[in-house]
Amino acid sequence: MSKILFVVTGADTLTLADGTAHPTGFWAEEFVAPYEAFRAAGHEVVVATPGGVVPTVDRASLAPEMNGGRENADRITAAVESSPELRHPLRLEDVRLEEYAAVFYPGGHGPMEDLAVNADSGRLLARALESGLPLGVVCHGPAALLAAVGPDGGNVFAGYEVAAFTDAEEIQGGLADRAPWLLQQRLTEAGVLVRAGEPWAPHVVTDRNLVTGQNPASSAPLAQELLARLG
């Protein structure tokens, strides 16, 4: 059994362009689908957050319309509420990367608030990338890549192909005109090569040891890709 590190946002709001706070957190499906896949394969999951705060689930991600109906929404909600790893996270600052076989970042808008500017997360990502460790990041999770800056001041993921929540999806989701910035645009400015798929459809991009997914529907296939790399 291997240990897989989930780095989860500690933010419960996103500061919008007008300065107001928009409730958010991590997106339930993006945690639950990989969590269940890794656990079913016999792996241990460890959650870490900035400061070791208990992460907040984005309540919108528990709605029936986001989960294909009430039955699955209830199942996802129960999975989040029953996960001991979410209730007892490690401090991200104390993580020893060598203890883990893979690293995974779920999304939700929360990472845009904290992980996008978190130096500890940025250093961990840079070390994972350099080490060749399987590294999975989904939806808004790639906001964390923005904090991974090398000694030369450039982004260590520059030139890597990734999937991430697209500007088109942000527009269709209704937040684009109020968001402080758009993820696809900001990644592109950092030199990261965003390969967009169809809005809301599963889309996974692999580049060396980096495996990325575009949206919540991509989290399950991304988890399978990571599992294949773990053997």
Side-chain angles (χ1 to χ4, degrees):
M1 182 174 67
S2 300
K3 289 168 65 174
I4 300 175
L5 178 68
F6 277 40
V7 179
V8 180
T9 177
D12 58 8
T13 60
L14 173 67
T15 305
L16 299 178
D18 64 1
T20 59
H22 176 72
T24 187
F26 69 89
W27 198 259
E29 181 182 358
E30 295 166 24
F31 175 87
V32 172
Y35 175 84
E36 292 181 338
F38 295 140
R39 290 290 303 274
H43 300 295
E44 178 184 353
V45 170
V46 177
V47 171
T49 63
V53 302
V54 174
T56 298
V57 65
D58 189 320
R59 305 306 299 182
S61 70
L62 302 177
E65 57 269 27
M66 296 295 182
N67 293 286
R70 170 57 64 187
E71 182 177 355
N72 196 50
D74 289 345
R75 186 189 70 80
I76 293 282
T77 301
V80 168
E81 292 177 348
S82 65
S83 166
E85 296 87 353
L86 285 171
R87 294 195 299 273
H88 304 285
L90 298 181
R91 282 168 35 93
L92 177 59
E93 299 84 348
D94 298 336
V95 164
R96 294 169 57 86
L97 187 62
E98 61 271 18
E99 297 179 1
Y100 300 95
V103 178
F104 173 68
Y105 278 65
H109 282 100
M112 292 177 63
E113 185 76 15
D114 60 353
L115 297 179
V117 293
N118 185 290
D120 293 297
S121 174
R123 284 189 289 269
L124 185 146
L125 284 165
R127 283 173 25 231
L129 189 68
E130 184 179 13
S131 72
L133 206 65
L135 173 59
V137 194
V138 70
C139 202
H140 286 90
L145 307 186
L146 297 169
V149 178
D152 63 356
N155 192 285
V156 301
F157 291 93
Y160 276 76
E161 295 190 349
V162 306
F165 200 72
T166 63
D167 293 356
E169 287 167 317
E170 204 73 85
I171 291 167
Q172 292 176 23
L175 197 66
D177 60 344
R178 295 182 289 143
W181 43 272
L182 298 179
L183 179 57
Q184 181 181 355
Q185 178 181 324
R186 188 66 63 88
L187 287 169
T188 301
E189 291 169 355
V192 183
L193 308 175
V194 179
R195 302 304 186 215
E198 289 297 314
W200 314 110
H203 179 57
V204 174
V205 172
T206 61
D207 190 342
R208 289 157 275 187
N209 59 314
L210 178 64
V211 184
T212 49
Q214 180 170 311
N215 45 39
S218 306
S219 44
L222 185 154
Q224 293 305 314
E225 180 65 30
L226 283 182
L227 281 171
R229 291 166 180 248
L230 288 171

